[in-house]
Amino acid sequence: MGRKVTVATCALNQWALDFEGNLQRILKSIEIAKCKGARYRLGPELEICGYGCWDHYYESDTLLHSLQVLAALLESPVTQDIICDVGMPVMHRNVRYNCRVIFLNRRILLIRPKMALANEGNYRELRWFTPWSRTRQTEEYFLPRMLQSLTKQETVPFGDAVLATRDTCIGSEICEELWTPHSPHVDMGLDGVEIFTNASGSHHVLRKAHARVDLVTMATTKNGGIYLLANQKGCDGDRLYYDGCALIAMNGHILAQGSQFSLDDVEVLTATLDLEDVRSYRAEISSRNLAASKASPYPRVKVDFALSSREDLLEPLSEPLEWKYHSPAEEISLGPACWLWDFLRRSQQAGFFLPLSGGVDSAATACLVYSMCRQVCEAVNNGNQEVLADVRTIVDQLDYTPRDPRELCGRVLTTCYMASENSSRETRDRAAELARQIGSHHIGLDVDPAVKAVVGIFSLATGKRPLFAVHGGSRRENLALQNVQPPRLPDQVRLLQRGHQPHRRHQQDGPQGLRPLLPRALPAPRPAGHPGSTGHRRAGAPGRWTGVPDGRGRHGHDVRGPVRLRQTPEGRQDRALWHVLQARQPVERRVFPAAGG
């Protein structure tokens, strides 16, 4: 019997609720894993439906479509002769669980629910799922009829169990369980589990890669074993960026490292490892063996399948490597830039509009767009056909191939210096010089008439003219006047500018957050017939009423309780300025919201 096993883990750029696209990326990852000789493939957390479905987890359609994708995976010839470990929501006895579904050759081996849910920081898993609290126990899960006809199974094990193949034992963890004080891999390792898997939906935080690597290497240093970590990557349709970092480790050493910031939608890592290295490593740790002799056993699901082969004597083994970390400055430059690229290509817009003030905030935002352009050009030069197709769609030119980041930046980024009587020559020159260095299409205009109009309306209504503090005004007047200065007037100018963009920027807009300080990440919706409204409908809820993306779920419910949907004030701004564009834009089939109150 052989001892060497080849296993695969991956990082996938899955989209929330894009069931067809997610299915194709999962199949592609399995196909790559099989081509590399792997007999076990691990995917990210909730990869079938996408991690960031939010309140759509409440909808039965989300569960139904996830089952349909699972049925397509079971039926595909690509998934034959390899153990596939995929993530999806499952309802068992009217309770929703975040699960791993492990199957082989059209038979489901085990459904393993998540036991420790992430519910801090940006995570709200307890809002949608219930943790499985019965350790080392399983129940029978009755398969839906659509799966019974494929698998010829009526029930399958559901709960906290491990897989026992002919040559080894495999146990699953899910994301947060690695970060808990008493992780499942501790007890599983003491019970003889040799391969641990962890499917994650872990978003980017500065230096978080250090924590992941430390946790995995420490787990396998103390207890021995092989550890596979898979993760989501990209913008899942929310404010967060998932940064990949898939890895394979054994006995405290890293054997394979995935990229942290990449525009590749599918990344698969494989490693060939010797199970005897795990067994001999554990045999030398007497304290571990004493604890193992008293460990409670896990239910084992027997699998008539081997990860190794008999003819593996000459199979080369993977060598340990040193993890290569990005510096904090690199993470700041690369992470948000990858998020911007995902947002741009998914929203189907033609680019970004950014007011430059000459200050550090707007300058840093412009540099992030330039960093995005650099990564796009690098991906195209490396032969990434998906990125090339996306960039051609964005610039609306089928024969375009980006080579120079500055030239691409000139096509997708318009910067604008909005001068007023309080602006200085120094800030104007700084904005122009930055635009020249990154190659953005730059506009300089005077917005004093707009500022004076706003102040004039206030003076007409109240009989009082507000003054800055240096001119004798109060602190409140000073703050109010700052809010009608150029940095606060991009929406109105953007609406007019969008109809007159060079380089085919007839829909250029992008997220409102692309301005100094990035106050919001997703755009509020436009009227249905508004230029650029298609991208906004993709990013947020269409129509007159919307849940403004300020921490609410996708049904408009706050994470702390239900709230009423509110009308966005931007709809009123658009309606007030709409007549300016009517002469230039066609108006057939336009639907306008009623005037806001």
Side-chain angles (χ1 to χ4, degrees):
M1 186 57 128
R3 305 170 306 175
K4 298 177 182 178
V5 296
T6 300
V7 290
T9 184
C10 60
L12 304 182
N13 194 339
Q14 301 295 73
W15 300 21
L17 302 177
D18 179 20
F19 294 96
E20 179 62 33
N22 292 346
L23 169 62
Q24 297 306 318
R25 284 181 284 272
I26 293 171
L27 287 173
K28 183 177 179 180
S29 68
I30 296 172
E31 187 174 11
I32 294 173
K34 288 181 66 176
C35 289
K36 293 185 176 182
R39 307 198 76 184
Y40 187 100
R41 176 267 182 198
L42 172 71
E45 184 177 9
L46 294 168
E47 60 183 313
I48 284 181
C49 59
Y51 183 82
C53 294
W54 287 46
D55 283 1
H56 287 292
Y57 288 120
Y58 290 140
E59 300 170 1
S60 59
D61 278 357
T62 304
L63 299 172
L64 171 63
H65 297 324
S66 296
L67 289 171
Q68 291 171 337
V69 172
L70 177 60
L73 289 171
L74 289 165
E75 199 171 14
S76 172
V78 175
T79 61
Q80 301 303 298
D81 300 321
I82 181 172
I83 298 178
C84 298
D85 187 338
V86 299
M88 60 179 282
V90 176
M91 182 170 285
H92 175 55
R93 297 184 179 179
N94 297 330
V95 179
R96 274 186 314 276
Y97 294 98
N98 176 349
C99 294
R100 305 302 300 173
V101 179
I102 308 173
F103 62 90
L104 169 68
N105 294 337
R106 295 195 178 187
R107 291 185 63 83
I108 295 176
L109 306 175
L110 172 67
I111 300 178
R112 202 283 198 176
K114 191 172 183 178
M115 303 179 69
L117 299 183
N119 209 60
E120 68 285 336
N122 291 302
Y123 293 103
R124 294 291 183 273
E125 291 183 8
L126 280 173
R127 180 181 172 91
W128 307 297
F129 300 109
T130 300
W132 180 260
S133 57
R134 300 168 60 185
T135 59
R136 298 182 180 87
Q137 294 185 44
T138 62
E139 296 177 350
E140 292 299 309
Y141 174 77
F142 285 83
L143 292 176
R145 283 173 292 182
M146 72 172 75
L147 297 182
Q148 289 185 23
S149 61
L150 286 172
T151 65
K152 310 304 179 185
Q153 298 169 282
E154 183 177 322
T155 63
V156 296
F158 184 102
D160 186 22
V162 297
L163 300 181
T165 65
R166 295 181 201 161
D167 50 358
T168 188
C169 192
I170 306 168
S172 296
E173 289 186 325
I174 306 177
C175 196
E176 180 73 8
E177 294 170 4
L178 172 63
W179 302 73
T180 58
H182 190 81
S183 298
H185 68 255
V186 175
D187 291 330
M188 288 191 294
L190 294 177
D191 191 33
V193 173
E194 296 175 330
I195 300 176
F196 311 103
T197 65
N198 186 300
S200 289
S202 180
H203 64 77
H204 173 238
V205 175
L206 279 178
R207 320 315 283 154
K208 193 174 184 179
H210 290 70
R212 292 192 194 108
V213 173
D214 289 346
L215 285 169
V216 171
T217 53
M218 187 57 64
T220 57
T221 297
K222 293 192 300 181
N223 210 357
I226 298 168
Y227 204 105
L228 282 68
L229 187 143
N231 194 20
Q232 166 92 0
K233 68 188 301 187
C235 163
D236 192 21
D238 192 18
R239 304 182 181 199
L240 306 177
Y241 177 74
Y242 300 89
D243 58 339
C245 282
L247 64 86
I248 300 175
M250 183 178 71
N251 298 343
H253 299 286
I254 301 295
L255 279 302
Q257 173 185 355
S259 61
Q260 187 173 13
F261 306 108
S262 167
L263 302 187
D264 296 328
D265 283 347
V266 177
E267 180 183 23
V268 178
L269 301 181
T270 59
T272 301
L273 309 165
D274 194 336
L275 294 174
E276 285 301 316
D277 289 339
V278 174
R279 295 159 187 166
S280 60
Y281 182 89
R282 287 178 170 177
E284 297 176 0
I285 308 175
S286 60
S287 58
R288 180 257 168 207
N289 296 335
L290 287 172
S293 66
K294 297 178 287 186
S296 300
Y298 274 80
R300 276 167 160 74
V301 177
K302 295 181 179 180
V303 183
D304 188 17
F305 186 77
L307 300 190
S308 59
S309 64
R310 295 183 180 275
E311 307 299 328
D312 64 358
L313 184 61
L314 301 179
E315 187 75 21
L317 296 175
S318 300
E319 295 293 331
L321 55 85
E322 184 176 352
W323 190 276
K324 297 178 181 178
Y325 294 99
H326 289 285
S327 68
E330 288 175 327
E331 290 191 43
I332 293 171
S333 171
L334 298 174
C338 289
W339 184 94
L340 286 173
W341 170 249
D342 260 6
F343 187 98
L344 181 60
R345 70 191 183 105
R346 297 183 188 192
S347 64
Q348 299 287 302
Q349 299 299 295
F352 299 110
F353 177 83
L354 174 66
L356 281 182
S357 66
V360 66
D361 297 323
S362 59
T365 307
C367 290
L368 292 179
V369 180
Y370 178 72
S371 174
M372 178 198 79
C373 294
R374 286 188 60 186
Q375 293 185 73
V376 169
C377 291
E378 182 178 346
V380 171
N381 291 337
N382 292 335
N384 191 318
Q385 295 302 309
E386 289 84 1
V387 173
L388 179 59
D390 287 333
V391 76
R392 286 175 173 175
T393 300
I394 291 169
V395 302
D396 196 19
Q397 186 176 339
L398 296 180
D399 60 349
Y400 175 69
T401 300
R403 301 297 183 190
D404 180 14
R406 295 183 72 256
E407 188 271 337
L408 177 60
C409 191
R411 289 174 175 259
V412 300
L413 175 63
T414 294
T415 52
C416 180
Y417 182 81
M418 301 181 186
S420 72
E421 61 183 7
N422 299 311
S423 303
S424 67
R425 169 62 62 179
E426 182 182 2
T427 56
R428 183 193 298 266
D429 292 344
R430 284 204 299 262
E433 175 61 19
L434 175 62
R436 184 192 65 78
Q437 290 184 14
I438 66 176
S440 67
H441 175 71
H442 188 65
I443 301 170
L445 55 87
D446 187 353
V447 295
D448 262 335
V451 175
K452 291 178 180 178
V454 173
V455 175
I457 293 172
F458 175 81
S459 301
L460 183 64
T462 64
K464 176 178 173 58
R465 185 173 185 83
L467 300 173
F468 282 105
V470 295
H471 298 146
S474 67
R475 178 170 160 273
R476 289 181 177 177
E477 291 177 78
N478 196 66
L479 181 61
L481 283 172
Q482 290 180 34
N483 286 323
V484 294
Q485 291 304 305
R488 306 299 180 188
L489 295 173
D491 287 340
Q492 294 87 340
V493 176
R494 178 180 60 190
L495 181 62
L496 296 172
Q497 181 66 29
R498 189 169 52 203
H500 300 79
Q501 287 292 333
H503 308 303
R504 300 162 299 284
R505 292 195 181 98
H506 58 284
Q507 286 189 329
Q508 180 164 351
D509 193 5
Q512 290 185 45
L514 194 61
R515 63 177 72 172
L517 298 180
L518 293 171
R520 279 201 302 236
L522 297 177
R526 303 285 186 181
H530 195 288
S533 63
T534 300
H536 286 81
R537 285 200 301 270
R538 289 169 183 259
R544 174 183 176 185
W545 301 100
T546 179
V548 176
D550 54 3
R552 296 185 174 87
R554 300 198 178 203
H555 288 174
H557 300 292
D558 190 84
V559 295
R560 297 171 298 277
V563 296
R564 292 194 59 187
L565 297 174
R566 66 189 187 193
Q567 186 178 13
T568 57
E570 190 175 71
R572 297 194 290 272
Q573 297 169 0
D574 287 354
R575 186 169 175 81
L577 291 171
W578 182 248
H579 297 289
V580 180
L581 295 178
Q582 272 190 322
R584 184 175 178 85
Q585 301 289 343
V587 295
E588 299 86 66
R589 304 180 190 172
R590 288 210 168 122
V591 180
F592 301 100

